[in-house]
Amino acid sequence: MRAALLAELKQPFVVEDVDLLDPTPGRVIVRTGATPFCSTDCINQRGDLGKVPPTILGHASIGVVEEVGADVTHVRVGDRVLVPGTPECGHCFYCAEGRPDQCSELFDATTYFHVAERADGAPITAAGNVGGYAERMNVTANQAFPLHTDLPNDVLSLLGCGITSGVGAVFNVAEVKPGRSVAIFGTGHLGLWMVQGAKVAGAGKIIAVEPIAWRREMAGRLGATDLVDPADGDPVEQVRALTEGRGADYALEAAGPTVAQEQVFRAARRAGTVVLTGVERLGATVTYSQTELALQGRRLLSCQNGNVRMRRDLPLFVGMLEDGRLDAAPIITARYGLDQINEALSASGEKRDLTGVIVPNGRT
Ligand SMILES: [Zn+2]
Ligand SMILES: [Zn+2]
């Protein structure tokens, strides 16, 4: 099969023929329908998140099951499945706690699983154990969730990435209440889903903080009530000015840089809720004022994949995409074949795309 390999850090992707390994017990082969090019993969391509090449990036995807290994019972050949970057093994400590976002199968694995081999026999890993920038994927069945809808692949592929992370941040992590104020720092690939989620949740005020004018305007079209350009002055002060001087009830970060995570903390009011989602690079640190952190009562929350439980949340999110309360059309700004993946990389890195979707087999 053809795959776009990160063969060397800081270098363009290389599209080449590789041998996909047969499914071992508990694993399935999925023919890839669509994979969003996530901005996280710009960081991976630079090597800032510890990926070791050769690897196939693309940590969320959708496709059709082509082959099942032994012991796989919940999906069959021909099933249309979502393949998000987070498995739900169902039996580890975290799954038992109701927190599959922290599933041990993802975070406590001690060895990289090899999904394919190069022509010279060199083993290839897959990002998030997905590897969606390829014609096929070899994934654990714990990461394959059947979908029953007529929505197209490019829209559904975002369910393992921007939609689950962004809408999940609003519903599951922040638990936004109607009428309340929400400030969102960064309205790109992820933050625009937070804007839409906050609107569905009935937020009274949705403040989009975004330096790029067209992305700010897009936030306004999708439900933001107030648009803040950091170039107009300290964004924290601007958010406070819009919230009677207090700061927002909920302040959500979807930007990545540590400075945004420092700002978002101060943009939440005392006893407000702060949600962090971004990563700048492995080992980066965030600094907070001790008195603000210790005395001012904010809830400071981490958000991995929107704290979703796929079997519970997928039907809800699909329903909102079907009835139009969530709209993917303005967020999918381009579609690329596998051979065009380096265009997707630069369009994402230069923030020209919101989400470019890779279509490895030529059709969505
Ligand atoms: Zn688990
Ligand atoms: Zn992603």
Side-chain angles (χ1 to χ4, degrees):
M1 69 156 186
R2 291 164 72 249
L5 283 189
L6 181 67
E8 260 184 89
L9 299 178
K10 301 186 174 67
Q11 295 301 313
F13 292 96
V14 181
V15 178
E16 65 180 40
D17 281 315
V18 302
D19 284 326
L20 189 68
L21 300 184
D22 289 335
T24 47
R27 296 183 73 88
V28 297
I29 303 296
V30 177
R31 178 184 158 88
T32 311
T35 306
F37 191 94
C38 184
S39 47
T40 307
D41 282 340
C42 294
I43 311 174
N44 279 323
Q45 188 261 352
R46 293 197 296 268
D48 286 346
L49 290 175
K51 289 280 180 293
V52 179
T55 188
I56 307 171
L57 301 180
H59 58 251
S61 197
I62 180 170
V64 174
V65 175
E66 275 197 344
E67 221 182 316
V68 297
D71 308 329
V72 174
T73 53
H74 79 282
V75 290
R76 290 184 300 189
V77 171
D79 282 354
R80 193 183 194 200
V81 290
L82 182 76
V83 185
T86 306
E88 297 187 11
C89 81
H91 52 73
C92 74
F93 174 89
Y94 294 98
C95 284
E97 284 282 312
R99 291 298 303 267
D101 61 299
Q102 300 297 320
C103 179
S104 281
E105 198 166 298
L106 179 65
F107 288 109
D108 296 324
T110 50
T111 52
Y112 287 112
F113 194 90
H114 295 133
V115 296
E117 289 177 351
R118 298 184 87 173
D120 64 3
I124 300 167
T125 58
N129 293 319
V130 176
Y133 302 153
E135 289 175 334
R136 287 174 178 71
M137 302 171 281
N138 176 330
V139 299
T140 163
N142 293 331
Q143 217 158 330
F145 300 88
L147 283 166
H148 307 285
T149 170
D150 294 329
L151 287 171
N153 281 337
D154 51 1
V155 170
L156 294 172
S157 70
L158 307 188
L159 282 165
C161 187
I163 298 179
T164 33
S165 297
V167 180
V170 172
F171 291 169
N172 297 341
V173 183
E175 301 183 288
V176 170
K177 301 287 186 296
R180 297 292 193 165
S181 58
V182 181
I184 296 162
F185 278 57
T187 57
H189 173 76
L190 179 60
L192 286 170
W193 289 109
M194 294 177 174
V195 169
Q196 295 194 58
K199 186 179 175 193
V200 173
K205 198 177 267 261
I206 303 172
I207 305 165
V209 181
E210 168 59 54
I212 300 173
W214 67 268
R215 291 186 168 196
R216 252 191 338 269
E217 284 154 22
M218 180 71 78
R221 278 173 45 200
L222 290 173
T225 57
D226 298 270
L227 307 178
V228 167
D229 180 357
D232 290 341
D234 181 355
V236 174
E237 291 307 325
Q238 292 193 66
V239 171
R240 287 179 179 165
L242 289 163
T243 50
E244 297 169 0
R246 287 191 298 268
D249 297 316
Y250 304 88
L252 280 53
E253 176 273 332
T258 54
V259 62
Q261 297 189 329
E262 290 163 1
Q263 288 171 343
V264 80
F265 179 77
R266 297 176 51 244
R269 64 165 166 81
R270 295 197 311 277
T273 296
V274 182
V275 178
L276 308 180
T277 72
V279 282
E280 184 177 309
R281 63 185 155 74
L282 216 58
T285 54
V286 181
T287 304
Y288 291 125
S289 145
Q290 187 186 40
T291 47
E292 288 176 347
L293 185 63
L295 300 180
Q296 295 187 347
R298 292 177 185 84
R299 292 195 305 151
L300 180 57
L301 300 169
S302 150
C303 176
Q304 185 331 76
N305 198 32
N307 193 11
V308 299
R309 295 186 213 175
M310 282 294 176
R311 287 177 185 82
R312 177 193 67 186
D313 292 336
L314 266 187
L316 306 180
F317 293 169
V318 167
M320 287 187 277
L321 287 164
E322 284 175 337
D323 69 22
R325 277 179 292 166
L326 296 177
D327 188 3
I331 298 196
I332 298 174
T333 45
R335 291 166 187 79
Y336 303 95
L338 208 51
D339 290 321
Q340 299 167 297
I341 193 163
N342 288 306
E343 290 173 40
L345 172 69
S346 45
S348 177
E350 293 160 17
K351 299 191 190 303
R352 285 183 277 114
D353 269 342
L354 285 168
T355 303
V357 175
I358 307 293
V359 185
N361 286 291
R363 279 190 308 156
T364 58

